[in-house]
Amino acid sequence: MKSIFGMTLEEMQAEFSAQNLEKYRAKQVAEWLYKKFAKSFSDMTNLPKDLRAALGAKYRIEKPTLRTRLDSADGRTSKFLLVFPDGASVESVLMRQPYGNSICISTQAGCNMGCAFCASTLHGLARNLTAGEMLAEVLFIEEMLSKEGEKVDTMVLMGSGEPLMNYDNVVCFLRLLHEKYVLNMGYRNITLSTSGIVPAIDDLAEEGMPITLSISLHAPREELRTDLMPINRKYPLADVVAAGRRYAEKTGRRVTYEYILIRDLNDGEREARELAKLLKGQTASVNLIPVNPVPERGFERPTDESVASFCSILAHQRITATVRREMGSDIQAACGQLRSRHMSAEEKLQ
């Protein structure tokens, strides 16, 4: 049985046409799936009963179920552990910001990038998510917000997984999300975070989607970045920054460089000056992120003084830098932590 959730309108029309069904039926089904959050064909009351039964026999509407929900004490951050029918689990986060509702979604179940500071890699990569599964993450939160008279305003692909290692599915998902019959989300309201998959960055620049690119650097020199991010062996720091420069030139969009600050490792004056030199002349900004400690990793947060000093050095070198506002620290909102805890608990039961 084929999954229909995640198909474009054109794909549905082609499917229905091959079955001698009227073309307008595809538009009706798409509206039920993506606007009215239908869970089954029986919900689609403006379709004849026999058609609903026929579609139900041929297609499945594959959505995840909620396993765990955590809400921060201030009520501004909610984290969801969603499980797909095959058992693959992902995390999605809702952040209620002053400028609207922002969500963070996962693009893979797990991750195999091996970054030393991240919980997402602790259990490795289970599999890629399909375009429909990523869309299901978004619509799960959109449906919840719609009951409050609100909606999803912005999105970051910054949860578990490396989006550019799931390139085709991610691009299909972004185009689908942009469609009027789905959420009509503007590309400029979307940020994609990558550890620096150079060829895919160049491909993304050619897609004609002016999304914001966020590149994880976390170190200003090759050897230190390799220690923190093994992918640096394949795509060295210098090549990653050059790809970021090309992306900015091609799209006209400012690139954001993420830099996790880890006490006594990459948060010193030397690193700040090296980072400023590395990014000089770029259409870029730096997002400084005090590390969210993961017990299995052993890294410590920098002091407030070292964070302020690092930011000040960048500013004096005319590098735009901000310190990420922390949200949801009391519910382990860093990507991968909830999923890892859930999987570890399941392993103990086996």
Side-chain angles (χ1 to χ4, degrees):
M1 189 181 291
K2 185 181 294 187
S3 176
I4 196 170
F5 193 89
M7 285 188 187
T8 65
L9 178 59
E10 292 75 17
E11 288 170 337
M12 284 187 210
Q13 288 173 336
E15 286 275 334
F16 289 8
S17 177
Q19 300 170 58
N20 297 316
L21 296 175
E22 300 94 332
K23 196 173 182 179
Y24 73 90
R25 294 297 186 192
K27 190 171 183 179
Q28 290 177 312
V29 171
E31 183 177 4
W32 277 105
L33 290 176
Y34 306 138
K35 293 286 192 183
K36 298 181 179 179
F37 316 114
K39 305 292 190 297
S40 69
F41 290 103
S42 61
D43 295 334
M44 303 180 186
T45 51
N46 60 345
L47 271 63
K49 283 187 177 181
D50 59 344
L51 177 56
R52 282 181 261 168
L55 293 175
K58 187 173 181 64
Y59 301 104
R60 67 183 187 276
I61 300 174
E62 203 161 80
K63 292 186 177 183
T65 56
L66 177 65
R67 179 64 57 86
T68 304
R69 172 176 175 168
L70 300 176
D71 295 293
S72 62
D74 61 11
R76 294 171 54 216
T77 305
S78 299
K79 188 167 192 175
F80 310 96
L81 181 66
L82 304 176
V83 181
F84 290 99
D86 69 346
S89 59
V90 298
E91 295 175 27
S92 309
V93 181
L94 166 64
M95 296 159 285
R96 297 170 176 86
Q97 305 276 18
Y99 53 80
N101 294 308
S102 182
I103 62 171
C104 176
I105 72 153
S106 299
T107 56
Q108 296 178 308
C111 185
N112 64 357
M113 290 295 100
C115 296
F117 46 81
C118 184
S120 294
T121 68
L122 290 172
H123 293 271
L125 175 66
R127 63 174 177 83
N128 287 331
L129 297 186
T130 66
E133 288 170 334
M134 286 178 266
L135 180 60
E137 292 183 72
V138 177
L139 294 189
F140 175 87
I141 298 175
E142 176 77 3
E143 180 179 10
M144 183 191 75
L145 288 173
S146 70
K147 296 173 183 176
E148 305 170 10
E150 298 187 25
K151 64 180 180 68
V152 172
D153 298 298
T154 60
M155 179 184 71
V156 294
L157 280 68
M158 205 175 287
S160 295
E162 166 53 66
L164 296 186
M165 294 298 286
N166 188 16
Y167 186 90
D168 291 341
N169 285 327
V170 165
V171 169
C172 287
F173 157 64
L174 294 178
R175 295 198 187 282
L176 187 57
L177 197 65
H178 183 67
E179 294 287 355
K180 289 183 179 179
Y181 58 86
V182 186
L183 286 194
N184 194 28
M185 183 175 285
Y187 289 127
R188 293 177 183 272
N189 293 332
I190 299 170
T191 297
L192 183 149
S193 176
T194 177
S195 58
I197 313 302
V198 171
I201 291 174
D202 290 329
D203 289 343
L204 189 64
E206 301 293 334
E207 293 285 353
M209 299 186 298
I211 64 175
T212 298
L213 182 68
S214 183
I215 299 177
S216 298
L217 283 189
H218 309 321
R221 55 185 182 272
E222 299 288 0
E223 65 277 11
L224 179 55
R225 189 169 190 264
T226 298
D227 289 342
L228 292 172
M229 304 177 68
I231 192 65
N232 195 65
R233 296 188 182 95
K234 187 169 186 179
Y235 302 115
L237 178 61
D239 294 347
V240 171
V241 172
R245 188 186 300 272
R246 292 193 297 272
Y247 186 89
E249 291 172 351
K250 177 68 179 180
T251 65
R253 300 286 286 161
R254 179 183 293 271
V255 172
T256 299
Y257 288 98
E258 296 169 332
Y259 193 100
I260 286 181
L261 289 164
I262 304 170
R263 179 182 289 192
D264 299 330
L265 185 64
N266 66 350
D267 64 337
E269 178 181 342
R270 173 190 174 187
E271 285 76 27
R273 295 192 182 282
E274 288 176 338
L275 183 61
K277 183 177 180 180
L278 182 68
L279 300 181
K280 187 176 182 180
Q282 276 231 37
T283 305
S285 60
V286 176
N287 189 5
L288 298 172
I289 311 164
V291 69
N292 198 333
V294 176
E296 296 89 342
R297 298 305 193 186
F299 293 129
E300 295 183 12
R301 289 176 58 84
T303 63
D304 291 343
E305 292 77 14
S306 65
V307 173
S309 174
F310 201 101
C311 195
S312 176
I313 291 169
L314 293 179
H316 279 104
Q317 297 297 320
R318 298 187 178 181
I319 301 294
T320 301
T322 56
V323 179
R324 180 182 292 178
R325 295 191 326 160
E326 288 190 271
M327 296 186 69
S329 59
D330 58 328
I331 57 169
Q332 296 185 313
C335 65
Q337 287 184 288
L338 179 57
R339 178 177 182 269
S340 177
R341 191 177 69 188
H342 168 72
M343 293 184 70
S344 294
E346 283 198 335
E347 288 172 359
K348 289 178 182 178
L349 294 173
Q350 293 175 358

